[in-house]
Each structure stands twice: as C-alpha cells, then as structure tokens.
Amino acid sequence: MYNIKEIYYTFQGEGAYTGRPSIFCRFSGCNLWSGREKDRKKAECNFCDTDFLGTNGINGGKFFNENELGKKIISLWKNKDNKNKPYVVFTGGEPLLQLDKKLINFLKLSNFEVGIETNGTIDLPCEVDWVCVSPKHQNDFVLKKGDELKLIFPQKKINPKSLENLNFKHFFLQPMDGPNLKNNIKKTYDFCNKNKKWNVSLQIHKIVGMP
C-alpha cells in the first residue's frame, strides 16, 4: 500500500528542470520530521516548508498497489498530444520510505520518465531517470551521486564546500524559505558568485502562484 498526500499536474519550479511539465506525486511521511509542528524544534530537519502529513491532499489517499497508483498518475498527464515526454516527480516527505521498483517499472513501461526528490538517507530501489538529492546533514546521507544536488541554504549542519567533490551533474543552492527569505536570497547569490560550482535555484512555482 502507498500512502499519498497529493498528486497533481504542474511544472517543475526548481533546479535544472525548471519549467518542465510534470506530475508531482507526494508521499506521506518523512524520516527526518514527523510533519507535526509540535515536533519541529527537535526534528533532524526543522525547516521543511511542505505539508506531507496524512492523505487528504488533492488526489491523495491510500493506493493498494502499483497498478492503482500508476494509473492515477497517468490519468493526470495533460500533454498527450505534444512533444513533452510524460514525467513524474516522486517527492515527500521522503519518497524512498515507500517508492519501490514495481511502481517505477510500471510507469516506465507506460513511457513515463521518473524523477525523485529525496533527502538522500535511503538508497534507490532501482535506476531512476532523474535523481535530485537535498541533504540535511554533512555526512548523514547515502545517495552521493545523481543528476542534481540541491542544497537548501544556509544550513547550520552542512557546508556547501564539503559537497563539491560528489558525483552530481548539477549543483544548486536554494534560499531557505521563511521569515528570513529575503536575506537568504542575498546570501545564496553572494555564495554562488564566489563559488562557480554552484548555481541559484529559486522556487518559481511559489513566485507565480502554482502548487
């Protein structure tokens, strides 16, 4: 069974694929925070800006097998008549608590590209087309290669310079959302200007009012 917070059609608002039409499938649950505000201060990741608790979001619910969830994802793809290859992004919470080889293969057989956004603390069940890792600690993650390293910035527990030798195609810093966002944007741009390994990722979907 898969516990899903929400599934929706949108465009990718962050990182290297910004602007790409996508289905986002958000799994419930995370291994770094319960999702409850009362636990935030003591959580390993206490700056999350996403609601991943429960199954009450748009198209959310409990899906009993890969066929049921896969068919729901496929039904939401809106670009059936153009050149955009169908693309699904599994996110969370932490998607690798639930995402498995059966679901990935079901969607690949349906001509979907499969992407994942993960904190990197759990290994992949099989090959995925696009791997975006967003670590929350200096050393406490196992996925140290992929397509995109996207670090929320600034963080006390992790220094971007310590990650530069990892095997990723793209390196992004994304300003931490919240009351200090304006200052964090400035810090992010300043760091990237001085360190050419890194590029700035902004949450474009929030700026334009998309989910």
Side-chain angles (χ1 to χ4, degrees):
M1 179 182 288
Y2 306 100
N3 293 310
I4 303 298
K5 175 65 179 185
E6 57 187 354
I7 315 171
Y8 55 91
Y9 175 87
T10 184
F11 64 83
Q12 173 60 269
E14 306 171 359
Y17 274 170
T18 294
R20 180 174 183 177
S22 309
I23 301 289
F24 268 69
C25 178
R26 188 178 309 284
F27 286 96
S28 300
C30 184
N31 57 342
L32 300 183
W33 177 42
S34 70
R36 296 178 175 87
E37 285 301 321
K38 67 178 183 178
D39 301 326
R40 185 185 285 273
K41 289 184 178 180
K42 296 181 179 180
E44 293 183 64
C45 174
N46 59 16
F47 53 83
C48 182
D49 60 356
T50 303
D51 177 11
F52 55 81
L53 190 63
T55 57
N56 60 340
I58 182 171
N59 297 308
K62 296 180 183 293
F63 294 82
F64 290 98
N65 54 52
E66 71 277 8
N67 290 350
E68 187 178 352
L69 179 52
K71 288 178 180 178
K72 184 62 179 180
I73 291 169
I74 293 167
S75 74
L76 296 174
W77 184 251
K78 296 183 179 181
N79 286 269
K80 296 180 175 66
D81 297 324
N82 66 22
K83 296 180 181 180
N84 288 314
K85 186 170 183 179
Y87 181 55
V88 58
V89 180
F90 289 109
T91 184
E94 175 45 54
L96 288 176
L97 291 171
Q98 299 186 60
L99 182 61
D100 56 24
K101 185 177 181 179
K102 292 187 296 182
L103 179 57
I104 292 169
N105 286 344
F106 181 91
L107 288 162
K108 285 188 174 184
L109 288 172
S110 299
N111 198 38
F112 266 72
E113 285 187 25
V114 176
I116 187 169
E117 296 185 352
T118 172
N119 60 36
T121 58
I122 303 171
D123 207 354
L124 295 169
C126 63
E127 184 178 350
V128 176
D129 297 301
W130 188 265
V131 178
C132 174
V133 176
S134 182
K136 306 299 188 293
H137 295 272
Q138 198 84 4
N139 299 306
D140 189 20
F141 63 105
V142 298
L143 273 180
K144 298 189 176 182
K145 65 178 181 179
D147 299 282
E148 183 177 347
L149 186 74
K150 186 173 63 184
L151 183 66
I152 307 302
F153 186 80
Q155 291 187 50
K156 294 180 180 179
K157 297 179 181 179
I158 192 164
N159 183 343
K161 298 292 290 183
S162 70
L163 306 176
E164 291 184 352
N165 291 326
L166 298 181
N167 187 16
F168 288 87
K169 298 174 185 176
H170 306 275
F171 288 77
F172 285 99
L173 290 189
Q174 185 164 291
M176 185 180 293
D177 202 354
N180 298 317
L181 176 60
K182 185 175 180 179
N183 189 42
N184 290 341
I185 291 175
K186 184 179 185 304
K187 288 182 178 179
T188 300
Y189 272 93
D190 288 345
F191 186 93
C192 290
N193 281 333
K194 296 175 182 177
N195 298 273
K196 299 305 181 182
K197 184 89 172 181
W198 296 89
N199 295 297
V200 177
S201 170
L202 297 177
Q203 294 181 298
I204 302 299
H205 55 291
K206 291 185 178 180
I207 294 171
V208 301
M210 293 286 286

